[in-house]
Amino acid sequence: MHQRTINSFHVGNFLTRTLFGAIFVIVLIAGIIIHPFAFFAVFMGITILASFEFYKLIQKNNCVPQIATGLIGAALLFTSCFAYTHYNNSTLFALFVPLLVLIPIIEMYRKKENPFGNIAYTFMGLLYVALPFSLLNFMVFPFGDNQFHWEILMGIFVLIWANDTGAYLVGVNFGKHRLFERISPKKSWEGSIGGAVITLAIAYLISLYSKELTSAQWIIGGAIVVVFGSMGDLVESLLKRSINIKDSGNLIPGHGGLLDRFDAILLVSPMIFVFLQIINEFFR
């Protein structure tokens, strides 16, 4: 009877994980490919929820960040980037800058312990979470033509999923040498190398169908995903380990929080942004 209960639990957990994982992927893909405003709605929501999740985590570390100010800043930054890339309008950035100035001023009136820690973590939420998501706007509007080029962002997410899946499958079956045991004991060099090979192969296959970038540029993008996607995973693991928690949240049943699902993009996005700017400057 006990074994049957355990088996039922595992089956139920697998079904829950599969169902909500499928819903998550469908919403994400729909937000990327349907329409610019669908992209705005989905990723604005993700930006705000992920920022809130980050600030709630920081509260476990005996700090009191300015959650409301941080969420307003996150929404304003994402909207500013959308308006700039889609409409070539930079007006909203003029509102975002004063908000940054207000953060230390607001802290003076809160009368909380560790005020500069609170200020630093409020800024950190904008830098670590809101900025990477906001830079995704430059991947769907990458060439300054105000046209919606969803294939690049979709390709980046496919490469991240390929890297994660390849690293997991190879690591589980062949992993022996730990990659960074102090932070993530289960990750192996073998898994990382396997993930890299699969990701670069997928990048080449994407280049055969998507002409937004050349084959060489897609492969370089794949290499960026391999390096900084893996680093993003480790950095988020470092954050969770410092607070002694397993998951960043429970928003997605069976999958943890949004930061768990988007840990790779938090470091990949800024580097892909720089890469696209280099392409625009020198190769178009």
Side-chain angles (χ1 to χ4, degrees), residues 9 16 31 47 89 94 107 111 156 189 220 228 232 249 252:
F9 171 78
T16 299
T47 301
N89 187 321
E107 192 62 33
K111 299 179 181 179
I156 294 301
W189 278 105
I220 293 172
F228 292 97
I252 310 172

Side-chain angles (χ1 to χ4, degrees), residues 99-120:
L99 183 137
L100 297 179
V101 175
L102 282 174
I103 289 174
I105 296 174
I106 291 172
E107 192 62 33
M108 289 195 303
Y109 292 93
R110 297 178 75 215
K111 299 179 181 179
K112 303 289 186 181
E113 294 184 7
N114 192 20
F116 273 88
N118 299 335
I119 292 170

Side-chain angles (χ1 to χ4, degrees), residues 26-230:
I26 290 170
V27 171
L28 195 68
I29 293 175
I32 293 174
I33 70 175
I34 289 179
H35 191 274
F37 290 119
F39 163 80
F40 176 82
V42 169
F43 283 92
M44 168 68 96
I46 290 172
T47 301
I48 294 173
L49 290 173
S51 297
F52 180 74
E53 188 175 276
F54 173 81
Y55 288 130
K56 297 300 287 186
L57 285 180
I58 294 305
Q59 287 185 330
K60 298 178 185 293
N61 204 31
N62 298 320
C63 279
V64 189
Q66 299 174 30
I67 295 180
T69 311
L71 295 183
I72 293 171
L76 189 55
L77 180 59
F78 188 90
T79 306
S80 298
C81 289
F82 181 80
Y84 177 74
T85 54
H86 190 28
Y87 297 109
N88 198 29
N89 187 321
S90 60
T91 304
L92 289 177
F93 286 115
L95 299 177
F96 178 72
V97 174
L99 183 137
L100 297 179
V101 175
L102 282 174
I103 289 174
I105 296 174
I106 291 172
E107 192 62 33
M108 289 195 303
Y109 292 93
R110 297 178 75 215
K111 299 179 181 179
K112 303 289 186 181
E113 294 184 7
N114 192 20
F116 273 88
N118 299 335
I119 292 170
Y121 279 120
T122 304
F123 278 123
M124 186 64 183
L126 295 172
L127 178 66
Y128 176 58
V129 182
L131 178 61
F133 282 118
S134 299
L135 292 178
L136 297 182
N137 285 283
F138 291 87
M139 292 174 214
V140 292
F141 302 107
F143 304 129
D145 56 4
N146 298 331
Q147 298 299 310
F148 189 55
H149 299 270
W150 60 266
E151 294 94 337
I152 293 178
L153 182 57
M154 190 70 253
I156 294 301
F157 273 107
V158 169
L159 293 175
I160 288 173
W161 295 333
N163 189 45
D164 288 345
T165 303
Y168 173 77
L169 293 176
V170 176
V172 165
N173 290 286
F174 304 102
K176 294 181 180 179
H177 301 87
R178 300 301 98 184
L179 176 66
F180 216 130
E181 191 167 7
R182 178 172 62 87
I183 296 176
S184 186
K186 294 182 179 180
K187 295 189 183 303
S188 66
W189 278 105
E190 290 83 358
S192 296
I193 293 170
V197 171
I198 291 172
T199 302
L200 295 178
I202 295 295
Y204 175 72
L205 291 177
I206 291 174
S207 74
L208 299 180
Y209 298 95
S210 174
K211 301 306 179 183
E212 299 286 354
L213 302 174
T214 67
S215 293
Q217 289 166 352
W218 273 114
I219 291 172
I220 293 172
I224 291 173
V225 167
V226 168
V227 174
F228 292 97
S230 299

